Amino acid sequence: MAFVVTQRCCNDASCLSECPVDCIRPRPEDPDFTTAEMLYIDPQTCIDCGACADACPVEAIYAEDELPSGLERFKDTNAAYFERHPLDAKLIQPSPPGRVAKELGKLRVAIVGAGPAAAYAAEELMRRADVEVEMIDRLPTPHGLVRAGVAPDHAGTKTITAMFEVPARRDNFQYLLNVEVGKHISHDELMRHHHAVIYAVGASKDRNLDIPGESLPGSYSATEFVGWYNGHPEYADREYDLSGERAVIVGNGNVALDIARVLTMNPDDLARTDIADHALEALRNSKIREVVLLGRRGPAQAAYTSPEFMALRNLPNVDVIIDESDIELDAATQAMLDDPATEPSTILKVDLAREYARQSQDPTRRRIVFRYLVSPVEALGDDRVIGLTIVRNELVASQGAFTARPTDHTETIPTSLVLRSVGYRGQPVPDLPFDEAGHIVPNDHGRVIDADGNPVTGSYVTGWIKRGPRGVIGTNKICAQETVSKLLEDFVAGHLTAPEHDRQTLRQLLAERQPDLIDRAGWRAIDKAERERGKQQKRPRIKFISIDEMIAVSRQG
């Protein structure tokens, strides 16, 4: 018997070091690690010890004979990866880098941001150095997109926050929440209190469609909508008209699939999650029966991952609709699928699309409709959205890449709700250089660099602001390890300037400028209160959505 990695895999790679026979792939040093949808266990090598399952922070690994209903296919998915990538027993995992000598003194680092990239950076710093870490975030709560972005029905994925809280319990770590860099404190002031500052601020701005009518009421960004149903305090007061029968999502990545599920799920099922109460009430009164997802390319090039696409079959009373004409493949795509070098996950996407297209449909059920090879042209309406004009595309293959080219065939989809989910962009960080083309802070393996390519002493980046909006939660772990390695190299080499002030002085400064600062005790009070409120309704938690309410609760800690 072997163990099997399933849908919730976050690519954290914690399981890799626990496997005594090194049978989990890809590894961080493998070329396909950053693009892999998930990790896989070789069934021929696995010795059934279960160490990987114990180490998994999101409970995504099961013994093959204990796979829950709906996840059985992942047994074949794991095996298929190793048919394409046979395990080389001669390859041995490299030893993790060692600690920095204590004789060099205590290192002080500020981390701006409190999401997964920030948490992994803190974890790596504490593992490798005698360090004091201040984690600063403009919101009153930590965990970034795990709290405010992961869909409420993905409770297993959210359990990774328990691992993020482990370093936060140590005395050399402190939260400084509800504090905004650039408003309450400057970059230069942070540098006077620390050897280094790591920015892990993500990519918070949505990409626009740049089509007429995009700004009409009824047309919104996925970030706003996801923040609304997840109780993000900046979006909780939004109102969405769910009185129409159809919603259209432009884009078909995993965020688009999350939104489609939330709009079509039974509200009674959502009532067992941590979804915001105002969103739950709105969804109980929703008239939406159909959600259409638009992808500009074909099913083989779709942005969603195959595990998330596969999971849609498990939605009760929801049909996944794909027209067979939409998945007729062009010669170049078929040649790619026939190529032995093509990843099994890509082939699986097409196989799943074909299976959905063949399924019977029940007109009494809600529908998630996938449209391929189409792009939006114009959002229609005068006072608000009443429809979306789309154009049919054709694929153009060149040097292994597939691009969408519009044809002269258009159609209109009647709808009262359009949500764009076509990617994200980083925003400039105060007092740091910014790459306007790539929408990242320019860097060399995490070291911030200026226009001449020279390092900006003491300044580092990790996560999406470093590499762009790519990868899943666990991808940030390897990204953070690289950044921390460069920071420690600079510390050991004497390239970092010793801070002028200590953490107590920093705390006094921030207390003067932001009396509503929330520290570790304050966050624990908020976390405890949310969980207690959730227990009353048998839910994981009921979030506070008002910053003032969070501040008040934090003062009870």
Side-chain angles (χ1 to χ4, degrees):
M1 185 182 72
F3 277 74
V4 176
V5 183
T6 65
Q7 176 193 349
R8 288 203 298 257
C9 177
C10 68
N11 287 41
D12 169 270
S14 296
C15 55
L16 288 169
S17 61
E18 300 302 317
C19 179
V21 292
D22 191 23
C23 70
I24 305 174
R25 294 291 187 275
R27 297 174 302 185
E29 63 271 22
D30 293 337
D32 60 332
F33 180 82
T34 57
T35 58
E37 295 185 342
M38 54 183 282
L39 302 179
Y40 306 88
I41 295 173
D42 180 16
Q44 301 302 317
T45 308
C46 177
I47 60 172
D48 188 26
C49 68
C52 55
D54 293 338
C56 180
V58 294
E59 301 176 359
I61 303 178
Y62 298 86
E64 62 180 23
D65 62 349
E66 297 176 357
L67 283 167
S69 176
L71 298 182
E72 299 91 346
R73 192 165 184 168
F74 283 97
K75 178 180 176 182
D76 296 333
T77 302
N78 279 245
Y81 178 85
F82 290 95
E83 292 174 6
R84 168 69 181 86
H85 303 278
L87 198 64
D88 188 341
K90 297 177 183 178
L91 297 178
I92 300 175
Q93 290 190 48
S95 300
R99 288 182 60 86
V100 171
K102 282 192 174 183
E103 289 76 11
L104 291 173
K106 189 177 292 291
L107 173 65
R108 283 191 41 75
V109 179
I111 302 176
V112 181
Y120 284 126
E123 177 187 52
E124 184 70 1
L125 281 165
M126 293 183 174
R127 188 181 68 81
R128 296 189 56 193
D130 182 14
V131 63
E132 289 180 342
V133 173
E134 266 76 41
M135 186 173 288
I136 303 168
D137 199 278
R138 64 186 181 85
L139 291 176
T141 56
H143 308 323
L145 286 179
V146 177
R147 178 182 172 94
V150 172
D153 63 325
H154 279 14
T157 302
K158 297 189 180 193
T159 60
I160 198 170
T161 58
M163 186 183 72
F164 293 161
E165 284 294 322
V166 171
R169 300 190 194 109
R170 295 171 55 176
D171 291 340
N172 58 339
F173 178 98
Q174 185 56 273
Y175 279 127
L176 301 174
L177 305 172
N178 205 31
V179 172
E180 186 172 350
V181 176
K183 177 181 178 181
H184 300 117
I185 191 168
S186 69
H187 171 75
D188 288 342
E189 287 173 322
L190 282 177
M191 289 303 307
R192 288 199 288 273
H193 289 81
H194 302 87
H195 290 88
V197 181
I198 300 175
Y199 287 88
V201 294
S204 58
K205 184 176 177 59
D206 284 270
R207 291 184 181 273
N208 293 326
L209 300 175
D210 296 326
I211 62 171
E214 182 175 9
S215 60
L216 281 170
S219 172
Y220 308 101
S221 74
T223 295
E224 295 172 310
F225 194 75
V226 170
W228 171 74
Y229 66 60
N230 271 323
H232 190 298
E234 293 178 350
Y235 304 114
D237 62 350
R238 304 293 171 92
E239 294 184 1
Y240 296 95
D241 182 1
L242 307 181
S243 63
E245 292 195 354
R246 179 184 292 116
V248 176
I249 305 173
V250 181
N252 61 10
N254 284 351
V255 173
L257 268 61
D258 288 346
I259 296 172
R261 287 198 317 276
V262 168
L263 286 172
T264 55
M265 284 179 67
N266 186 329
D268 289 340
D269 293 332
L270 286 170
R272 294 192 287 269
T273 73
D274 66 353
I275 191 170
D277 282 348
H278 59 261
L280 181 61
E281 180 64 22
L283 290 165
R284 286 195 184 280
N285 296 310
S286 170
K287 304 300 183 185
I288 291 176
R289 302 288 304 169
E290 178 178 282
V291 179
V292 181
L293 293 89
L294 308 181
R296 59 191 173 89
R297 298 185 294 173
Q301 296 84 24
Y304 50 69
T305 60
S306 54
E308 291 300 315
F309 191 40
M310 187 191 307
L312 294 177
R313 67 173 66 236
N314 300 321
L315 279 179
N317 299 313
V318 176
D319 283 336
V320 177
I321 309 297
I322 298 176
D323 192 295
E324 291 201 43
S325 65
D326 261 6
I327 53 175
E328 293 177 357
L329 303 181
D330 61 286
T333 298
Q334 188 60 57
M336 178 192 70
L337 295 177
D338 292 339
D339 187 342
T342 297
E343 290 296 332
S345 58
T346 301
I347 298 170
L348 180 57
K349 286 182 182 179
V350 177
D351 288 344
L352 289 169
R354 288 169 172 160
E355 291 172 15
Y356 284 132
R358 292 193 296 265
Q359 284 182 345
S360 60
Q361 302 172 20
D362 184 340
T364 66
R365 297 175 179 172
R366 293 184 176 181
R367 297 153 52 94
I368 297 177
V369 181
F370 285 85
R371 297 288 306 273
Y372 301 101
L373 290 168
V374 291
S375 296
V377 174
E378 181 180 6
L380 305 174
D382 295 323
D383 300 324
R384 62 168 296 104
V385 169
I386 60 171
L388 186 69
T389 299
I390 62 174
V391 63
R392 182 75 181 177
N393 297 326
E394 59 185 9
L395 278 184
V396 178
S398 176
Q399 298 180 335
F402 292 83
T403 58
R405 182 170 63 193
T407 67
D408 57 2
H409 177 72
T410 62
E411 63 178 285
T412 296
I413 303 176
T415 183
S416 57
L417 179 63
V418 175
L419 299 169
R420 65 179 183 272
S421 181
V422 291
Y424 303 91
R425 292 178 174 176
Q427 294 185 286
V429 175
D431 302 319
L432 289 188
F434 191 70
D435 178 354
E436 294 287 353
H439 303 283
I440 61 171
V441 171
N443 68 93
D444 179 13
H445 300 285
R447 290 188 181 103
V448 176
I449 55 175
D450 61 22
D452 297 322
N454 300 313
V456 178
T457 301
S459 299
Y460 302 85
V461 285
T462 189
W464 281 5
I465 196 63
K466 168 186 172 182
R467 67 183 190 273
R470 303 188 306 274
V472 293
I473 291 173
T475 312
N476 293 296
K477 183 174 186 177
I478 308 305
C479 183
Q481 289 174 344
E482 179 185 60
T483 294
V484 169
S485 289
K486 297 305 178 185
L487 188 159
L488 295 180
E489 285 177 16
D490 293 342
F491 180 56
V492 170
H495 295 160
L496 302 183
T497 303
E500 302 170 16
H501 308 292
D502 61 13
R503 69 189 328 186
Q504 187 58 39
T505 306
L506 173 67
R507 184 61 182 267
Q508 291 171 353
L509 174 67
L510 287 174
E512 294 171 4
R513 296 181 181 177
Q514 172 53 313
D516 294 327
L517 178 152
I518 295 175
D519 59 12
R520 176 169 53 193
W523 157 239
R524 285 179 175 172
I526 294 170
D527 183 45
K528 180 180 178 181
E530 288 185 341
R531 292 178 186 274
E532 288 296 328
R533 298 199 318 167
K535 282 182 181 178
Q536 300 169 19
Q537 298 182 27
K538 297 182 179 180
R539 297 170 62 184
R541 68 173 68 232
I542 297 177
K543 297 173 184 173
F544 297 108
I545 61 173
S546 161
I547 290 179
D548 289 342
E549 196 172 18
M550 293 183 206
I551 292 169
V553 173
S554 74
R555 289 173 176 164
Q556 301 169 12

